[in-house]
């Protein structure tokens, strides 16, 4: 069976974009793939994190997976730092990654900002750790958003470099899985920007744990334009906010964009927004409530993560032993 690996950083504020762009699609994949869904806490600390917030957020992301329908009996759910193979493999792969490849990474340039000399080594080698995440399990498919495609390309390059350097055919080249069902959710304040956990305005996003009133208020306040809703997809040209709200509606209702455009053709935003708010509350309400319930009693979440870590390690450890052997590392002899 083909294997999927994907992950989300525990950096707070899981929102509608994480749900419609990632987690919801994972639920559909678990029937057809051996799925490993990680909470990538080692990636999170490439930028400063408050320890208590990191701990909470790690549990919250795990709770979101489970509440959204990722089944911990069928999938492996764990946090990255509990399986040592991630950091071990990252070192080996880092030794064969040319700086020139890393210097091309646009996310590093964005995150490091102007003071590049002040950025941490971890932020720079972030894509190597991501390659290790995937290759440690010899994952074949990686569902990621557009913004992670460059990192996945690099993971493929690193896998190829390892195979060539040692004359082996060990790592499969992981395929990006850009899902047709995944929705690129944009900010409610600016339809040209991605909905983001780091946007300073909470009105830009719908958090998975927002209560019904907050969801309705944010949608009511969402930016729009003065025209009524269009009667065709062409009518969405240069109307990014209208496009975003219609796409969110279609995704939440599990209907095509065309069907939703046809239903609301000529309608005013005010009426459409009320229907959108009702729909968003109907879909997210139960998930958010379950997340809160899980996070309030963290023992259950911690047990899921512990079981996931055992399962992940059972796959990772034999791979790492093979990789050590290939590279020429002696391993301690036990017993
Ligand atoms: N870098 C990814 C993001 O921010 C998260 C991530 C880390 C990941 N390791 C991964 C995604 C491995 C897919 C596979 O979205």
């Amino acid at each position: 069976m083909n294997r999927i690996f994907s992950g989300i950083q525990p950096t707070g504020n899981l929102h509608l974009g994480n749900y419609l762009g990632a987690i919801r699609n994972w639920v559909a994949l678990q029937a057809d793939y051996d799925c490993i869904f990680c909470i990538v806490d080692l990636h999170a600390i490439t930028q400063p994190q408050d320890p208590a917030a990191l701990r909470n957020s790690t549990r919250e992301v795990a709770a979101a997976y489970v509440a959204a329908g990722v089944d911990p009996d069928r999938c492996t759910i764990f946090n990255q730092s509990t399986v040592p193979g991630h950091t071990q493999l990252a070192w080996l792969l880092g030794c064969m990654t040319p700086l020139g490849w890393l210097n091309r990474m646009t996310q590093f340039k964005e995150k490091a900002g102007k003071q590049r000399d002040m950025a941490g080594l971890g932020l720079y080698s972030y894509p190597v750790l991501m390659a290790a995440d995937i290759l440690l399990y010899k994952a074949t498919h990686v569902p990621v958003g557009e913004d992670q495609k460059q990192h996945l390309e690099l993971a493929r390059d690193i896998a190829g470099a390892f195979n060539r350097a040692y004359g082996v055919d060990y790592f499969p080249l992981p395929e990006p899985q850009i899902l047709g069902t995944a929705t690129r959710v944009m900010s409610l304040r600016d339809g040209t920007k991605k909905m983001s956990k780091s946007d300073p305005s909470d009105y830009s996003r719908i958090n998975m744990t927002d209560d019904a009133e907050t969801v309705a208020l944010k949608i009511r306040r969402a930016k729009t334009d003065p025209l009524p809703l269009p009667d065709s997809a062409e009518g969405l040209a240069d109307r990014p906010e209208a496009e975003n709200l219609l796409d969110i509606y279609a995704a939440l209702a599990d209907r095509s964009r065309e069907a939703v455009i046809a239903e609301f053709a000529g309608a005013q935003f005010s009426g459409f927004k009320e229907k959108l708010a009702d729909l968003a509350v109907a879909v997210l309400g139960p998930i958010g409530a379950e997340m809160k319930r899980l996070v309030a009693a963290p023992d259950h979440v911690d047990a899921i993560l512990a079981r996931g870590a055992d399962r992940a390690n059972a796959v990772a450890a034999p791979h790492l032993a093979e990789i050590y052997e290939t590279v020429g590392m002696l391993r301690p002899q036990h017993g």
Side-chain angles (χ1 to χ4, degrees), residues 5-9 40 43 80 107 111 126 129-131 133-134 142-144 147-148 151-152:
F5 186 99
S6 198
I8 293 180
Q9 294 191 47
V40 288
H43 278 106
Q80 189 185 26
Q107 185 177 289
K111 287 194 179 173
Y126 177 117
L129 178 61
M130 180 163 159
D133 294 342
I134 299 163
V142 182
V144 283
D147 63 324
Q148 293 298 312
H151 288 163
L152 198 58

